[in-house]
Amino acid sequence: MKLNIDYQEKFEQRHIAPNEQDTAKMLETISADSVDQLIEQTVPANIRLKKVLDLPRAKSEADYLNDLKQVASKNKVFKSYIGQGYHDVIVPGVIQRNILENPGWYTQYTPYQAEISQGRLQALLNFQTMVADLTGMEIANASLLDEGTAAAEAMFMQYSLRKNENAKIFFVSEEVLPQTIDILKTRSAPYGIEILIGNHRKAELNEDMFGAIVQYPAGTGEVYNYSDFALKAHEKGIKLTVIADIMSLALLSPPGEWGADIVLGSSQRFGVPMGFGGPHAAFFATKEEYKRSLPGRIIGVTIDSAGNYALRMALQTREQHIRRDKATSNICTAQALLAIMSGMYAVYHGPKGIKLIAERIHGLTVFLASALENLGYKQENKNFFDTVKLELGDLIDPIHAEALNNEVNLHYIGSSVSITIDETTSTEDVMTLIRFFAKVKGKTIHDLDIDNLKSIVRSQIPEELKRKSAFLTHPIFNSHHSEHEMLRYIKSLEAKDLSLCHSMIALGSCTMKLNATTEMVPVTWAEFSKIHPFAPADQVGGYMQIFDELNKWLSEITGFAAMSLQPNSGAQGEYAGLMVIRAYHSDRGDAQRNVALIPSSAHGTNPASAAMAGMKIVIVKCDERGNIDVADLKAKAEEHASDLSCLMVTYPSTHGVFEESIVEICEIIHHNGGQVYMDGANMNAQVGLTSPATIGADVCHLNLHKTFCIPHGGGGPGMGPIGVAKHLVPYLPGHAVVNIGNSKSISAVSSAPWGSASILLISHAYIAMMGAEGLTNATKYAILNANYIKSRLESSYPVLYSGSQGRCAHEMILDCRAFKNFGIEVTDIAKRLMDYGFHAPTVSFPVAGTVMIEPTESEPKHELDRFCDAMIAIREEIAEVESGQIDKTDNPLKNAPHTSSVVTSDAWGHPYSRKKAAFPLPYVSAYKFWPSVGRVNDTYGDRTLVCSCPPVESYAEETV
């Protein structure tokens, strides 16, 4: 027998689940001769690519990791004292292994189905409690994207709360971090908000100002007493936002105690690696009276159907799907996985541990300051927590050279330097700093009495700014301090959550596909995780190579000229794309072009992003088949020809169809002077088959957490880079700290130059290991899997929309509205699916009373069949209600989900069996996932809003 010594395993075969036998059976079911014939029947011929994607040959998993090690070696991991909002950390191993590197946590979806999300909901409630405690505020949300965008959210929240409608000025302390000021400039421009940058000690506040923002400690490291400033602001009706360092709040008086209206910041230094800029969870806290203006998601306490303690996302009516064009914020702005890590860091260390870490950081900073002052350096910060600032004059260059010789990065500002100490800094690290600072002065460390300097270390925080109040007092933060206890706590929460580890999550529009282990592995390599985003360019060659390759590959896939990798969520990508279009029109003298045409079927994020970009939204009708009404589009484009900015279009459509008129639609917009923005939410049906440029779009964002395999992480992280045609390249986002822009670049949309840079590795790995053929086949199989489900289910549920040849794209909508006639809501179907071991598909979007199903290419036929069997069985249960065989109110759907405690209780008064309740199909017993609570009570939760950890005993008393 001849042996094949050239065999190399293809990653494509691991990523795309259906094998040859499965493929043949599925093709038979859908009545197609081949996968290629299916694609011909699905994707319009006039937009199909005529060439194969020009991408490097696919690598095996082993080869990719070996090659990436060489790339990683081009990053130099220097000791960072740069600070500026980013700090090196010690990630507790029990958290890194069991959360960050654990698919039971990182493959979860946003907790819209609360009954099978209680673990991450509790973890996020811990985060909210931690934030409220440390900031001294009354209510906190479940995280935002990063510190800079959180500051922008605060500005808009203050703007919306202003009583004087003529107030248009937002005061910004000149000591706010430059990247944050950059984002404030970006976000304020469309609204005509004037950013006034000045010295908070000298500023003359007046009634034309609606808000003010300061940094605590300030960007220089100085710790100011802002209480007088807060008092003056409030006297003028000005609300105060404080950007706080979360670690410092263990020692500093919390802003909520001296007048802050909003407190925000980054939770990065609570156990989340720097990762060259992210992902990191921002925190955001405010007063109870402003809870309905709070941006983002809030986790709240409620009760379930049995009256037991349960959690859910609260105040969900604030979502952008409801607000749409009225939105000034966007709910798709969370970093759940990273917030969970930070909350767990607080659980693991507890209040004593956090305070000891903060005291050590502060103590080493005081020791360093004393030593440098004894060497003759001028230390400029009177009061400080972790940062010393030195005026060096002519010594700046020698210090810079010595720092590099010692593999140390400091923060340089003109002839000054600042040094920020973090959790990883050791006494020996500080001694290294002292040695080379002494050398530049012509001295040695022996010229100092080190032992004496150590013995006289005292706090440099004045008494009036020292924290007196307790924090993290809840038992959760005082119970799990050994690793064994912590491990069991993490696992107990993980066990309450359904993730991709358990079953398919067929969420339409959300593309929950395989997040391969090999793609995830490099994220925690030190060469990538321990790099500061403002590290010198010659130290980050590995990252630059990754960005350059990813830029080229994504440009090839989209057909565009260039990408910006900065936007760190899909919604942020939408916003960035619209701001680029806005800048293009303005530069051409067409600043009046501010009308965005948006189809009625669009994602709710579309009108929300357009509103935030200062655009006037005009809705375009859809026809009875769910396609854009071309006549209505043409009429409205011509009506607004002089002020048309753009069309926002999702392709394939949000209804799961390749609209055949898309080229004509784009031509109509261009003919009337507008640009075409394509929402990339459905790129998983395009890659290798067509492209945004081919259909005629000018810009699109890509949800890397959908099509390109970055995990959803329970509601974040994500990445939303934008690709643009050649004429828009000059306007791609720049950055205030790192020079990445062009002469016409818009200012930053995210805090870090390349957004959440560390997770770009995941998409880089996916493309490199799939290659052109693999990526194209993934798209084909996403379409095959969807059409297989469609064929199996369309006799039980009407499929709302399909193409001219009866095919759907990568997803479809099942119409469940008729079931309402006999008392069954689409929500009942969603909850009943939990009893069958599945997370519900997307519910009531884009059409109320429907479910939208997207299986992706990563699911095998037997998993598709399990899901279809469950949906068909549920339809039979609905038929039993419809025929009167079973009660309209006491039936398996209305009572779903059924918990183990309900099924095993002594009492059972339902007109159906326990087996039907919990094990409705034979496969369920082998795959059984028990929801940990019964159906949650949304109304009770909104009426009795509790958004931090209440003692379980007292809460139980309240609900009796």
Side-chain angles (χ1 to χ4, degrees), residues 687-710:
V687 178
L689 301 181
T690 183
S691 72
T694 301
I695 71 169
D698 301 286
V699 55
C700 82
H701 86 272
L702 300 175
N703 295 95
L704 299 189
H705 47 289
K706 296 184 182 182
T707 306
F708 296 95
C709 292
I710 291 175

Side-chain angles (χ1 to χ4, degrees), residues 109 500 505-515 680-685 703 705-710 712 782 810-811 854-857:
Y109 185 61
L500 284 176
I505 302 179
L507 285 151
S509 187
C510 291
T511 319
M512 299 289 290
K513 64 202 292 182
L514 172 70
N515 312 125
N682 293 341
M683 271 299 292
N684 211 46
N703 295 95
H705 47 289
K706 296 184 182 182
T707 306
F708 296 95
C709 292
I710 291 175
H712 283 68
H810 62 310
E811 62 189 0
E854 180 184 356
T856 83
E857 70 276 13

